[in-house]
Amino acid sequence: MFLDRFLLRLFHYLLSFVSCIYNWWLKILQLRFIVFAGNSGFSNFHGFLYFVKHIFSCFRDRRKSSTKTSRTLNNTTTSTTAATPLQLNRIRCDSKELKKLPTSLGLALNERDVSSLDICNIVLWSLVMGIPYISIYDIKGDLKRNSITLQNELLKKKHELFGPEANMYEILLNPGSSLTELPKCGKQILVNILSLDDGRQSLVHIAQHLSEQVLQKQMKISDINPELIDRFYKITYGCPAPDLIIRFGKTESLLGFSPWQSQFSEILPCPSHVGLDYLTYLSTLIDYANSSQRCGK
């Protein structure tokens, strides 16, 4: 091994020396850029020397890079399925080419495992796309119990994606009734984490509350209308009903997602959110953009 390296380096230095002498010889004769008819062979010989020198240099650099790459792979702990941030201009251009975007996006996680990193990618892609609201429904409530961890991961991924521009973008996690103004499209996104209690059971709670209001004569039955129910949901969660719900998993069900919030939603399936790449996310938005929502008509 040592002898091979020594011979390779010696041959490389020898080629460099011959090439250097030849260059100086061309300078003396002022033939660097002028080639006479009888000296074309010298020019070809110089190109040959440079070509051989370049091949041996590439061979040496390749051995160094392969050693460095193997060390890097041994020290790498990131999964190859982890979502990688894409260029912002590409996402923005894709957003402009779509016929329509959902104002509010819903994610129904019908899977055993929940990947916070992949959820963060979807949230950030939606933020750049210009989607101001996103509701994430996890029937087991894992995301809701670990909302602080999710928030920290969102901040970390935001700085990785936007770099110096990270402070220009804001992610509002579960603001509820504390939201005083609408999110700025393309600069802010409101993320609402939902669990089983926020699904069908939320409609039961609203019905009980309205019944008590009527019994206490604080309101009339005639005052109860769909707009009032929408207002309750908006005050409680801060998000409007989703225009699009992406259902992840093999189960063809929303598993308790609020029927009031999903009655007019376009529901599109996706095999899994784990390892979801940007192109799959984009293809779902393209399907939504090309769909015709009839709202039950």
Side-chain angles (χ1 to χ4, degrees), residues 72-295:
T72 304
L73 290 175
N74 291 334
N75 296 329
T76 301
T77 57
T78 306
S79 171
T80 56
T81 58
T84 56
L86 302 178
Q87 294 295 330
L88 300 179
N89 290 336
R90 176 185 176 185
I91 303 178
R92 288 168 182 153
C93 290
D94 291 338
S95 174
K96 293 178 181 179
E97 292 178 358
L98 294 176
K99 296 179 182 178
K100 62 178 179 179
L101 275 174
T103 302
S104 181
L105 175 65
L107 307 178
L109 307 180
N110 299 350
E111 299 182 87
R112 180 178 300 177
D113 299 323
V114 176
S115 172
S116 299
L117 288 177
D118 293 304
I119 292 298
C120 291
N121 284 334
I122 298 174
V123 171
L124 290 173
W125 293 336
S126 302
L127 171 60
V128 182
M129 276 281 182
I131 300 174
Y133 301 98
I134 183 168
S135 299
I136 307 172
Y137 179 72
D138 171 29
I139 188 172
K140 295 182 295 184
D142 293 337
L143 284 177
K144 202 169 188 178
R145 285 190 295 269
N146 302 300
S147 58
I148 297 178
T149 303
L150 179 63
Q151 186 172 15
N152 293 334
E153 290 180 354
L154 281 170
L155 290 176
K156 181 181 177 181
K157 294 288 290 184
K158 184 181 77 168
H159 284 281
E160 290 177 1
L161 179 62
F162 296 107
E165 301 179 359
N167 293 331
M168 298 172 56
Y169 299 87
E170 189 175 6
I171 301 173
L172 307 173
L173 189 63
N174 287 334
S177 58
S178 62
L179 186 68
T180 56
E181 58 183 11
L182 296 178
K184 298 177 181 178
C185 187
K187 295 293 183 180
Q188 291 180 323
I189 188 169
L190 190 154
V191 183
N192 202 18
I193 307 298
L194 307 174
S195 63
L196 185 61
D197 293 336
D198 305 303
R200 294 177 180 174
Q201 197 63 28
S202 64
L203 192 58
V204 174
H205 294 326
I206 292 176
Q208 291 176 345
H209 176 75
L210 293 177
S211 299
E212 292 175 359
Q213 294 279 315
V214 172
L215 289 176
Q216 296 174 4
K217 297 183 178 181
Q218 296 181 4
M219 64 182 306
K220 300 177 181 179
I221 296 180
S222 58
D223 296 333
I224 302 175
N225 52 46
E227 289 75 18
L228 180 62
I229 309 297
D230 290 336
R231 199 177 309 125
F232 266 99
Y233 273 103
K234 189 68 180 295
I235 292 174
T236 305
Y237 301 108
C239 281
D243 301 310
L244 167 65
I245 297 178
I246 304 177
R247 188 191 70 234
F248 295 102
K250 298 180 181 179
T251 306
E252 296 183 359
S253 170
L254 294 182
L255 297 179
F257 196 102
S258 173
W260 187 270
Q261 291 284 85
S262 59
Q263 57 181 326
F264 299 125
S265 302
E266 185 77 15
I267 303 173
L268 296 177
C270 192
S272 176
H273 77 286
V274 179
L276 183 74
D277 58 11
Y278 172 72
L279 291 180
T280 306
Y281 166 82
L282 178 62
S283 66
T284 306
L285 291 183
I286 292 175
D287 291 341
Y288 169 77
N290 295 330
S291 66
S292 178
Q293 291 179 280
R294 303 180 184 277
C295 298

Side-chain angles (χ1 to χ4, degrees), residues 29-70:
L29 298 179
Q30 296 182 355
L31 292 175
R32 173 172 291 274
F33 299 105
I34 302 174
V35 180
F36 292 99
N39 293 335
S40 59
F42 289 106
S43 178
N44 293 335
F45 179 68
H46 176 265
F48 173 75
L49 287 179
Y50 181 81
F51 176 72
V52 175
K53 174 185 173 183
H54 179 69
I55 287 191
F56 276 91
S57 299
C58 291
F59 179 72
R60 183 191 61 181
D61 295 339
R62 183 178 180 183
R63 293 185 63 179
K64 289 183 178 180
S65 63
S66 62
T67 304
K68 184 178 180 181
T69 302
S70 61

